[in-house]
PDB file of all heavy atoms in Angstrom:
ATOM      1  N   PRO Y 249       7.356  12.601 -11.704  1.00 86.00           N
ATOM      2  CA  PRO Y 249       8.055  11.484 -12.370  1.00 86.00           C
ATOM      3  C   PRO Y 249       8.528  10.417 -11.395  1.00 86.00           C
ATOM      4  O   PRO Y 249       8.470   9.221 -11.702  1.00 86.00           O
ATOM      5  CB  PRO Y 249       9.242  12.172 -13.061  1.00 86.00           C
ATOM      6  CG  PRO Y 249       8.828  13.594 -13.222  1.00 86.00           C
ATOM      7  CD  PRO Y 249       8.018  13.885 -12.009  1.00 86.00           C
ATOM      8  N   TYR Y 250       8.988  10.833 -10.209  1.00 84.00           N
ATOM      9  CA  TYR Y 250       9.441   9.865  -9.214  1.00 84.00           C
ATOM     10  C   TYR Y 250       8.265   9.066  -8.661  1.00 84.00           C
ATOM     11  O   TYR Y 250       8.366   7.846  -8.450  1.00 84.00           O
ATOM     12  CB  TYR Y 250      10.148  10.574  -8.056  1.00 84.00           C
ATOM     13  CG  TYR Y 250      11.439  11.247  -8.450  1.00 84.00           C
ATOM     14  CD1 TYR Y 250      11.479  12.601  -8.777  1.00 84.00           C
ATOM     15  CD2 TYR Y 250      12.633  10.538  -8.496  1.00 84.00           C
ATOM     16  CE1 TYR Y 250      12.666  13.222  -9.136  1.00 84.00           C
ATOM     17  CE2 TYR Y 250      13.831  11.153  -8.857  1.00 84.00           C
ATOM     18  CZ  TYR Y 250      13.830  12.495  -9.171  1.00 84.00           C
ATOM     19  OH  TYR Y 250      15.002  13.114  -9.534  1.00 84.00           O
ATOM     20  N   ILE Y 251       7.154   9.742  -8.427  1.00 82.00           N
ATOM     21  CA  ILE Y 251       6.008   9.103  -7.795  1.00 82.00           C
ATOM     22  C   ILE Y 251       5.366   8.069  -8.703  1.00 82.00           C
ATOM     23  O   ILE Y 251       4.845   7.054  -8.244  1.00 82.00           O
ATOM     24  CB  ILE Y 251       4.962  10.166  -7.385  1.00 82.00           C
ATOM     25  CG1 ILE Y 251       5.599  11.192  -6.443  1.00 82.00           C
ATOM     26  CG2 ILE Y 251       3.761   9.522  -6.732  1.00 82.00           C
ATOM     27  CD1 ILE Y 251       6.183  10.597  -5.179  1.00 82.00           C
ATOM     28  N   LEU Y 252       5.411   8.312 -10.019  1.00 81.00           N
ATOM     29  CA  LEU Y 252       4.738   7.413 -10.955  1.00 81.00           C
ATOM     30  C   LEU Y 252       5.581   6.194 -11.328  1.00 81.00           C
ATOM     31  O   LEU Y 252       5.148   5.377 -12.134  1.00 81.00           O
ATOM     32  CB  LEU Y 252       4.357   8.180 -12.231  1.00 81.00           C
ATOM     33  CG  LEU Y 252       3.278   9.254 -12.061  1.00 81.00           C
ATOM     34  CD1 LEU Y 252       2.970   9.905 -13.402  1.00 81.00           C
ATOM     35  CD2 LEU Y 252       2.000   8.665 -11.473  1.00 81.00           C
ATOM     36  N   ILE Y 253       6.765   6.063 -10.718  1.00 79.00           N
ATOM     37  CA  ILE Y 253       7.634   4.927 -11.043  1.00 79.00           C
ATOM     38  C   ILE Y 253       6.940   3.598 -10.795  1.00 79.00           C
ATOM     39  O   ILE Y 253       7.068   2.650 -11.586  1.00 79.00           O
ATOM     40  CB  ILE Y 253       8.952   5.008 -10.231  1.00 79.00           C
ATOM     41  CG1 ILE Y 253       9.820   6.153 -10.753  1.00 79.00           C
ATOM     42  CG2 ILE Y 253       9.721   3.686 -10.296  1.00 79.00           C
ATOM     43  CD1 ILE Y 253      11.085   6.383  -9.928  1.00 79.00           C
ATOM     44  N   LEU Y 254       6.177   3.523  -9.702  1.00 75.00           N
ATOM     45  CA  LEU Y 254       5.552   2.254  -9.327  1.00 75.00           C
ATOM     46  C   LEU Y 254       4.144   2.080  -9.901  1.00 75.00           C
ATOM     47  O   LEU Y 254       3.478   1.091  -9.602  1.00 75.00           O
ATOM     48  CB  LEU Y 254       5.492   2.132  -7.800  1.00 75.00           C
ATOM     49  CG  LEU Y 254       6.841   2.004  -7.089  1.00 75.00           C
ATOM     50  CD1 LEU Y 254       6.630   1.779  -5.605  1.00 75.00           C
ATOM     51  CD2 LEU Y 254       7.664   0.867  -7.667  1.00 75.00           C
ATOM     52  N   LEU Y 255       3.702   3.029 -10.719  1.00 72.00           N
ATOM     53  CA  LEU Y 255       2.351   2.939 -11.282  1.00 72.00           C
ATOM     54  C   LEU Y 255       2.100   1.631 -12.037  1.00 72.00           C
ATOM     55  O   LEU Y 255       0.999   1.071 -11.948  1.00 72.00           O
ATOM     56  CB  LEU Y 255       2.086   4.136 -12.198  1.00 72.00           C
ATOM     57  CG  LEU Y 255       0.642   4.304 -12.683  1.00 72.00           C
ATOM     58  CD1 LEU Y 255      -0.286   4.532 -11.499  1.00 72.00           C
ATOM     59  CD2 LEU Y 255       0.540   5.467 -13.663  1.00 72.00           C
ATOM     60  N   PRO Y 256       3.085   1.092 -12.794  1.00 71.00           N
ATOM     61  CA  PRO Y 256       2.825  -0.174 -13.511  1.00 71.00           C
ATOM     62  C   PRO Y 256       2.496  -1.352 -12.603  1.00 71.00           C
ATOM     63  O   PRO Y 256       1.926  -2.344 -13.075  1.00 71.00           O
ATOM     64  CB  PRO Y 256       4.156  -0.421 -14.250  1.00 71.00           C
ATOM     65  CG  PRO Y 256       4.775   0.926 -14.405  1.00 71.00           C
ATOM     66  CD  PRO Y 256       4.394   1.667 -13.169  1.00 71.00           C
ATOM     67  N   PHE Y 257       2.814  -1.274 -11.304  1.00 69.00           N
ATOM     68  CA  PHE Y 257       2.513  -2.384 -10.411  1.00 69.00           C
ATOM     69  C   PHE Y 257       1.012  -2.546 -10.172  1.00 69.00           C
ATOM     70  O   PHE Y 257       0.546  -3.649  -9.896  1.00 69.00           O
ATOM     71  CB  PHE Y 257       3.220  -2.207  -9.062  1.00 69.00           C
ATOM     72  CG  PHE Y 257       4.676  -2.583  -9.098  1.00 69.00           C
ATOM     73  CD1 PHE Y 257       5.663  -1.607  -9.180  1.00 69.00           C
ATOM     74  CD2 PHE Y 257       5.064  -3.908  -9.063  1.00 69.00           C
ATOM     75  CE1 PHE Y 257       6.995  -1.946  -9.212  1.00 69.00           C
ATOM     76  CE2 PHE Y 257       6.403  -4.256  -9.102  1.00 69.00           C
ATOM     77  CZ  PHE Y 257       7.369  -3.282  -9.176  1.00 69.00           C
ATOM     78  N   PHE Y 258       0.253  -1.456 -10.279  1.00 68.00           N
ATOM     79  CA  PHE Y 258      -1.178  -1.530  -9.999  1.00 68.00           C
ATOM     80  C   PHE Y 258      -1.914  -2.462 -10.966  1.00 68.00           C
ATOM     81  O   PHE Y 258      -2.701  -3.312 -10.533  1.00 68.00           O
ATOM     82  CB  PHE Y 258      -1.802  -0.134 -10.011  1.00 68.00           C
ATOM     83  CG  PHE Y 258      -1.415   0.696  -8.814  1.00 68.00           C
ATOM     84  CD1 PHE Y 258      -0.434   1.668  -8.905  1.00 68.00           C
ATOM     85  CD2 PHE Y 258      -2.019   0.492  -7.588  1.00 68.00           C
ATOM     86  CE1 PHE Y 258      -0.063   2.426  -7.807  1.00 68.00           C
ATOM     87  CE2 PHE Y 258      -1.665   1.241  -6.479  1.00 68.00           C
ATOM     88  CZ  PHE Y 258      -0.679   2.209  -6.584  1.00 68.00           C
ATOM     89  N   PRO Y 259      -1.688  -2.342 -12.293  1.00 67.00           N
ATOM     90  CA  PRO Y 259      -2.342  -3.301 -13.200  1.00 67.00           C
ATOM     91  C   PRO Y 259      -1.917  -4.738 -12.946  1.00 67.00           C
ATOM     92  O   PRO Y 259      -2.713  -5.669 -13.130  1.00 67.00           O
ATOM     93  CB  PRO Y 259      -1.887  -2.824 -14.594  1.00 67.00           C
ATOM     94  CG  PRO Y 259      -1.522  -1.398 -14.415  1.00 67.00           C
ATOM     95  CD  PRO Y 259      -0.959  -1.299 -13.029  1.00 67.00           C
ATOM     96  N   ILE Y 260      -0.655  -4.958 -12.522  1.00 72.00           N
ATOM     97  CA  ILE Y 260      -0.178  -6.318 -12.260  1.00 72.00           C
ATOM     98  C   ILE Y 260      -0.985  -6.957 -11.141  1.00 72.00           C
ATOM     99  O   ILE Y 260      -1.424  -8.112 -11.245  1.00 72.00           O
ATOM    100  CB  ILE Y 260       1.327  -6.291 -11.904  1.00 72.00           C
ATOM    101  CG1 ILE Y 260       2.151  -5.878 -13.131  1.00 72.00           C
ATOM    102  CG2 ILE Y 260       1.779  -7.662 -11.401  1.00 72.00           C
ATOM    103  CD1 ILE Y 260       3.632  -5.712 -12.848  1.00 72.00           C
ATOM    104  N   PHE Y 261      -1.216  -6.197 -10.065  1.00 74.00           N
ATOM    105  CA  PHE Y 261      -2.016  -6.739  -8.969  1.00 74.00           C
ATOM    106  C   PHE Y 261      -3.462  -6.953  -9.392  1.00 74.00           C
ATOM    107  O   PHE Y 261      -4.129  -7.866  -8.907  1.00 74.00           O
ATOM    108  CB  PHE Y 261      -1.952  -5.803  -7.759  1.00 74.00           C
ATOM    109  CG  PHE Y 261      -0.664  -5.894  -7.003  1.00 74.00           C
ATOM    110  CD1 PHE Y 261       0.241  -4.841  -7.008  1.00 74.00           C
ATOM    111  CD2 PHE Y 261      -0.334  -7.033  -6.302  1.00 74.00           C
ATOM    112  CE1 PHE Y 261       1.440  -4.925  -6.314  1.00 74.00           C
ATOM    113  CE2 PHE Y 261       0.857  -7.134  -5.603  1.00 74.00           C
ATOM    114  CZ  PHE Y 261       1.747  -6.075  -5.609  1.00 74.00           C
ATOM    115  N   GLY Y 262      -3.943  -6.120 -10.307  1.00 73.00           N
ATOM    116  CA  GLY Y 262      -5.301  -6.301 -10.796  1.00 73.00           C
ATOM    117  C   GLY Y 262      -5.483  -7.595 -11.562  1.00 73.00           C
ATOM    118  O   GLY Y 262      -6.585  -8.156 -11.600  1.00 73.00           O
ATOM    119  N   LEU Y 263      -4.399  -8.104 -12.160  1.00 79.00           N
ATOM    120  CA  LEU Y 263      -4.477  -9.349 -12.917  1.00 79.00           C
ATOM    121  C   LEU Y 263      -4.802 -10.546 -12.031  1.00 79.00           C
ATOM    122  O   LEU Y 263      -5.326 -11.552 -12.514  1.00 79.00           O
ATOM    123  CB  LEU Y 263      -3.152  -9.601 -13.654  1.00 79.00           C
ATOM    124  CG  LEU Y 263      -2.795  -8.616 -14.769  1.00 79.00           C
ATOM    125  CD1 LEU Y 263      -1.411  -8.940 -15.338  1.00 79.00           C
ATOM    126  CD2 LEU Y 263      -3.838  -8.657 -15.886  1.00 79.00           C
ATOM    127  N   ILE Y 264      -4.491 -10.432 -10.741  1.00 81.00           N
ATOM    128  CA  ILE Y 264      -4.779 -11.537  -9.811  1.00 81.00           C
ATOM    129  C   ILE Y 264      -6.272 -11.859  -9.800  1.00 81.00           C
ATOM    130  O   ILE Y 264      -6.680 -13.018  -9.721  1.00 81.00           O
ATOM    131  CB  ILE Y 264      -4.295 -11.182  -8.391  1.00 81.00           C
ATOM    132  CG1 ILE Y 264      -2.771 -11.076  -8.369  1.00 81.00           C
ATOM    133  CG2 ILE Y 264      -4.763 -12.218  -7.369  1.00 81.00           C
ATOM    134  CD1 ILE Y 264      -2.198 -10.646  -7.027  1.00 81.00           C
ATOM    135  N   TYR Y 265      -7.099 -10.816  -9.905  1.00 76.00           N
ATOM    136  CA  TYR Y 265      -8.549 -11.018  -9.844  1.00 76.00           C
ATOM    137  C   TYR Y 265      -9.100 -11.685 -11.107  1.00 76.00           C
ATOM    138  O   TYR Y 265     -10.260 -12.093 -11.139  1.00 76.00           O
ATOM    139  CB  TYR Y 265      -9.260  -9.683  -9.612  1.00 76.00           C
ATOM    140  CG  TYR Y 265      -9.076  -9.150  -8.203  1.00 76.00           C
ATOM    141  CD1 TYR Y 265      -8.056  -8.251  -7.912  1.00 76.00           C
ATOM    142  CD2 TYR Y 265      -9.907  -9.551  -7.165  1.00 76.00           C
ATOM    143  CE1 TYR Y 265      -7.874  -7.768  -6.621  1.00 76.00           C
ATOM    144  CE2 TYR Y 265      -9.740  -9.077  -5.874  1.00 76.00           C
ATOM    145  CZ  TYR Y 265      -8.716  -8.187  -5.616  1.00 76.00           C
ATOM    146  OH  TYR Y 265      -8.531  -7.722  -4.338  1.00 76.00           O
ATOM    147  N   LEU Y 266      -8.274 -11.817 -12.136  1.00 79.00           N
ATOM    148  CA  LEU Y 266      -8.697 -12.485 -13.360  1.00 79.00           C
ATOM    149  C   LEU Y 266      -8.505 -13.996 -13.302  1.00 79.00           C
ATOM    150  O   LEU Y 266      -8.948 -14.717 -14.188  1.00 79.00           O
ATOM    151  CB  LEU Y 266      -7.940 -11.915 -14.563  1.00 79.00           C
ATOM    152  CG  LEU Y 266      -8.130 -10.422 -14.844  1.00 79.00           C
ATOM    153  CD1 LEU Y 266      -7.299 -10.008 -16.051  1.00 79.00           C
ATOM    154  CD2 LEU Y 266      -9.605 -10.093 -15.073  1.00 79.00           C
ATOM    155  N   ILE Y 267      -7.828 -14.484 -12.253  1.00 83.00           N
ATOM    156  CA  ILE Y 267      -7.618 -15.922 -12.094  1.00 83.00           C
ATOM    157  C   ILE Y 267      -8.943 -16.589 -11.778  1.00 83.00           C
ATOM    158  O   ILE Y 267      -9.635 -16.210 -10.828  1.00 83.00           O
ATOM    159  CB  ILE Y 267      -6.587 -16.201 -10.979  1.00 83.00           C
ATOM    160  CG1 ILE Y 267      -5.248 -15.546 -11.322  1.00 83.00           C
ATOM    161  CG2 ILE Y 267      -6.417 -17.700 -10.765  1.00 83.00           C
ATOM    162  CD1 ILE Y 267      -4.215 -15.663 -10.220  1.00 83.00           C
ATOM    163  N   ASN Y 268      -9.328 -17.590 -12.555  1.00 79.00           N
ATOM    164  CA  ASN Y 268     -10.639 -18.224 -12.396  1.00 79.00           C
ATOM    165  C   ASN Y 268     -10.714 -19.110 -11.154  1.00 79.00           C
ATOM    166  O   ASN Y 268     -11.719 -19.114 -10.444  1.00 79.00           O
ATOM    167  CB  ASN Y 268     -10.977 -19.050 -13.640  1.00 79.00           C
ATOM    168  CG  ASN Y 268     -11.271 -18.174 -14.842  1.00 79.00           C
ATOM    169  OD1 ASN Y 268     -11.844 -17.096 -14.699  1.00 79.00           O
ATOM    170  ND2 ASN Y 268     -10.875 -18.620 -16.023  1.00 79.00           N
ATOM    171  N   SER Y 269      -9.685 -19.882 -10.899  1.00 82.00           N
ATOM    172  CA  SER Y 269      -9.685 -20.775  -9.740  1.00 82.00           C
ATOM    173  C   SER Y 269      -9.490 -19.964  -8.465  1.00 82.00           C
ATOM    174  O   SER Y 269      -8.453 -19.332  -8.274  1.00 82.00           O
ATOM    175  CB  SER Y 269      -8.572 -21.825  -9.870  1.00 82.00           C
ATOM    176  OG  SER Y 269      -8.430 -22.553  -8.670  1.00 82.00           O
ATOM    177  N   PHE Y 270     -10.506 -19.988  -7.574  1.00 80.00           N
ATOM    178  CA  PHE Y 270     -10.382 -19.166  -6.372  1.00 80.00           C
ATOM    179  C   PHE Y 270      -9.322 -19.715  -5.425  1.00 80.00           C
ATOM    180  O   PHE Y 270      -8.740 -18.973  -4.639  1.00 80.00           O
ATOM    181  CB  PHE Y 270     -11.733 -19.023  -5.658  1.00 80.00           C
ATOM    182  CG  PHE Y 270     -12.371 -20.300  -5.208  1.00 80.00           C
ATOM    183  CD1 PHE Y 270     -12.004 -20.907  -4.013  1.00 80.00           C
ATOM    184  CD2 PHE Y 270     -13.349 -20.907  -5.974  1.00 80.00           C
ATOM    185  CE1 PHE Y 270     -12.600 -22.076  -3.591  1.00 80.00           C
ATOM    186  CE2 PHE Y 270     -13.944 -22.083  -5.564  1.00 80.00           C
ATOM    187  CZ  PHE Y 270     -13.575 -22.670  -4.373  1.00 80.00           C
ATOM    188  N   ILE Y 271      -9.040 -21.020  -5.498  1.00 86.00           N
ATOM    189  CA  ILE Y 271      -7.983 -21.591  -4.662  1.00 86.00           C
ATOM    190  C   ILE Y 271      -6.620 -21.044  -5.097  1.00 86.00           C
ATOM    191  O   ILE Y 271      -5.803 -20.624  -4.271  1.00 86.00           O
ATOM    192  CB  ILE Y 271      -7.996 -23.133  -4.737  1.00 86.00           C
ATOM    193  CG1 ILE Y 271      -9.309 -23.672  -4.147  1.00 86.00           C
ATOM    194  CG2 ILE Y 271      -6.806 -23.715  -3.984  1.00 86.00           C
ATOM    195  CD1 ILE Y 271      -9.438 -25.167  -4.234  1.00 86.00           C
ATOM    196  N   ILE Y 272      -6.372 -21.069  -6.409  1.00 90.00           N
ATOM    197  CA  ILE Y 272      -5.116 -20.524  -6.931  1.00 90.00           C
ATOM    198  C   ILE Y 272      -5.041 -19.026  -6.669  1.00 90.00           C
ATOM    199  O   ILE Y 272      -3.983 -18.495  -6.306  1.00 90.00           O
ATOM    200  CB  ILE Y 272      -4.988 -20.813  -8.444  1.00 90.00           C
ATOM    201  CG1 ILE Y 272      -4.922 -22.327  -8.683  1.00 90.00           C
ATOM    202  CG2 ILE Y 272      -3.755 -20.115  -9.016  1.00 90.00           C
ATOM    203  CD1 ILE Y 272      -4.874 -22.708 -10.142  1.00 90.00           C
TER     204      ILE Y 272
END
Side-chain angles (χ1 to χ4, degrees):
Y250 294 96
I251 302 302
L252 292 182
I253 289 175
L254 293 185
L255 189 62
F257 281 101
F258 288 101
I260 292 175
F261 284 111
L263 294 176
I264 294 177
Y265 288 94
L266 299 179
I267 300 175
N268 290 325
S269 171
F270 60 83
I271 296 177
I272 297 177

